[in-house]
Amino acid sequence: MRSSEYKSMKHQQESREDTAAEFVSAMYLDRMTDERIKSLDLWLASDPENRVEYQKALDAWNEVSCLSGSTGLVEVLESSQKRSSHKLFSRVAMAASLLLAVVLTGVLFDKQSEPSNVGELVRYETQTGEQQTLTLPDGSVAVINTNSRLLVDFSENRRHLILDRGEVFLEVEKDVNRPFVVSVGDTAVTVLGTKFNVLASGFNLDVAVVEGEVAVHPKNGRPLNKSSAVVLSKDNEVATGSQYRLPAGISARFRGKLGGNESTVSVASIEGGENYPAWRYGMLRFNNQPLYEVVKELNRYSRKKILIEDSRIMDRRMSGVFKMDSFDAMLERFETMFDLQVTIHPDRIVLTGLDAN
């Protein structure tokens, strides 16, 4: 073989490996836009070698994520020096080793760490499909949902959590001298004692109150003015505002920066009462939701992502309560209940209508 032919083949293989690594990192970091999903499908269908390399990249990620227990590997997967699945594995493994070294020096704390001294900033992190229950230093309880990262900052004068990613349900012990604050980006949720759920999803913030009352307000702004805050109810949809009060039984989705021109709030009643949210009990509940929203929720719990490859079923409405202990059984129910065809591939799960060609 001539040198030029060898170099061409080597370049083609390296390009294939780079593309596979980029798709895998996008999938596990929740950056698979509709355009990216279409590109992935076309790329996999264009050459059998692409599917082989994609599976290698999936195996490398799964191997290392199990070892490291962390999704703090973004820098490695997004580096421009990805060259092979073996090198991808080596770089991610190296990142995991570095992360472990930092943990051992006390700079960071992994998800198994427990606060040992008041005032420590402690990190808890769950992987895809994993949940974790914590008892905080004041006796409050935090239940962390799938693929989430929570930072805990407690002191004699402060009870502060930072939800960096994902979802958490909180049962807060009352302490009139230390309000309990959950920060999500530029927004803060403040309570004295209550049960509530917080979900950070893209540019949206969902807050649902099971018991008590919470205030939602800018994290760095004017002190919370309870008298001027807008009280949300199921009949009240607010277009603008910067401070809100949510009573028990209310769920609100905040879009955009509070008080900004593009900010909106949509309000609904929560379902299930004390049993809300259903994920705490290993269940998923859907109430007349379009299929694309259902799939987005399901993909939070599964490493193998679900794709809709039939545009006719995107807006099909779905209702039901499903157990999360068996993903395959859940998909079988989807087939029978909603006239869908579920096709399981090594790297993805595809939904189509039963009469689709």
Side-chain angles (χ1 to χ4, degrees):
M1 181 183 295
R2 289 180 300 180
S3 175
S4 60
E5 292 177 345
Y6 172 77
K7 289 181 179 179
S8 176
M9 292 178 60
K10 182 179 180 183
H11 176 75
Q12 183 180 11
Q13 177 63 16
E14 289 176 347
S15 177
R16 180 182 289 117
E17 292 161 353
D18 287 351
T19 302
E22 288 167 2
F23 277 127
V24 169
S25 65
M27 183 174 69
Y28 281 116
L29 299 172
D30 292 327
R31 295 175 182 174
M32 285 297 284
T33 61
D34 291 341
E35 184 177 351
R36 241 181 195 157
I37 291 171
K38 291 178 182 177
S39 297
L40 172 61
D41 289 339
L42 290 173
W43 183 75
L44 290 173
S46 66
D47 189 334
E49 290 299 320
N50 292 347
R51 191 175 295 277
V52 172
E53 200 58 47
Y54 184 72
Q55 188 61 52
K56 288 181 181 179
L58 283 170
D59 293 342
W61 177 283
N62 291 333
E63 182 78 17
V64 176
S65 62
C66 291
L67 290 172
S68 67
S70 170
T71 56
L73 310 175
V74 183
E75 297 82 0
V76 179
L77 285 168
E78 292 185 339
S79 71
S80 60
Q81 299 302 318
K82 300 183 292 289
R83 277 296 174 262
S84 71
S85 59
H86 298 292
K87 290 183 179 180
L88 170 66
F89 179 85
S90 298
R91 289 192 176 95
V92 179
M94 184 179 296
S97 300
L98 290 173
L99 178 63
L100 178 60
V102 173
V103 171
L104 293 176
T105 60
V107 178
L108 293 175
F109 298 82
D110 68 9
K111 63 178 183 177
Q112 299 299 330
S113 301
E114 295 294 337
S116 57
N117 298 307
V118 175
E120 284 184 344
L121 182 65
V122 184
R123 184 182 72 172
Y124 299 90
E125 193 165 353
T126 57
Q127 299 180 44
T128 300
E130 181 185 11
Q131 295 174 355
Q132 187 179 7
T133 300
L134 309 173
T135 300
L136 301 172
D138 66 336
S140 299
V141 176
V143 186
I144 308 173
N145 202 6
T146 175
N147 192 22
S148 301
R149 183 185 295 131
L150 186 69
L151 304 177
V152 178
D153 181 13
F154 271 53
S155 69
E156 294 181 358
N157 303 312
R158 178 181 178 89
R159 296 190 295 173
H160 183 210
L161 302 184
I162 301 171
L163 182 59
D164 188 45
R165 182 186 69 239
E167 185 171 22
V168 62
F169 180 85
L170 294 155
E171 297 185 28
V172 178
E173 291 292 320
K174 189 169 184 179
D175 186 342
V176 295
N177 297 315
R178 287 192 304 167
F180 193 105
V181 180
V182 181
S183 295
V184 182
D186 295 329
T187 303
V189 183
T190 298
V191 302
L192 292 177
T194 186
K195 298 179 182 179
F196 67 108
N197 192 77
V198 181
L199 168 63
S201 176
F203 296 104
N204 298 329
L205 171 64
D206 293 0
V207 180
V209 183
V210 175
E211 180 182 296
E213 182 180 272
V214 306
V216 179
H217 55 94
K219 183 175 67 175
N220 299 315
R222 295 175 302 171
L224 180 64
N225 188 336
K226 189 173 181 179
S227 62
S228 65
V230 178
V231 180
L232 298 179
S233 68
K234 64 181 181 179
D235 301 319
N236 181 16
E237 182 167 332
V238 183
T240 60
S242 60
Q243 298 187 14
Y244 301 91
R245 288 165 55 194
L246 278 70
I250 292 297
S251 171
R253 168 165 289 186
F254 300 88
R255 298 180 178 89
K257 187 175 182 179
L258 293 184
N261 294 331
E262 303 297 326
S263 67
T264 61
V265 181
S266 56
V267 184
S269 299
I270 66 171
E271 297 181 358
E274 285 289 326
N275 294 324
Y276 181 91
W279 61 261
R280 287 193 296 153
Y281 306 98
M283 311 290 287
L284 289 176
R285 181 192 301 271
F286 303 109
N287 181 22
N288 196 34
Q289 293 171 248
L291 180 60
Y292 68 85
E293 286 189 0
V294 173
V295 167
K296 181 180 178 182
E297 180 66 13
L298 291 176
N299 279 339
R300 297 177 57 216
Y301 297 88
S302 175
R303 290 188 178 277
K304 184 182 291 186
K305 301 306 179 185
I306 302 174
L307 306 178
I308 303 175
E309 291 192 350
D310 185 348
S311 60
R312 299 171 303 167
I313 64 174
M314 291 283 289
D315 295 313
R316 183 176 293 180
R317 296 283 167 169
M318 304 181 67
S319 298
V321 179
F322 303 89
K323 292 185 67 176
M324 293 190 293
D325 58 351
S326 174
F327 212 72
D328 290 343
M330 186 190 308
L331 292 175
E332 287 179 6
R333 287 192 64 198
F334 270 48
E335 283 189 315
T336 57
M337 292 176 64
F338 304 112
D339 293 328
L340 299 175
Q341 179 175 327
V342 179
T343 305
I344 300 178
H345 298 277
D347 55 349
R348 69 198 191 284
I349 300 168
V350 172
L351 302 185
T352 56
L354 285 178
D355 58 344
N357 294 324

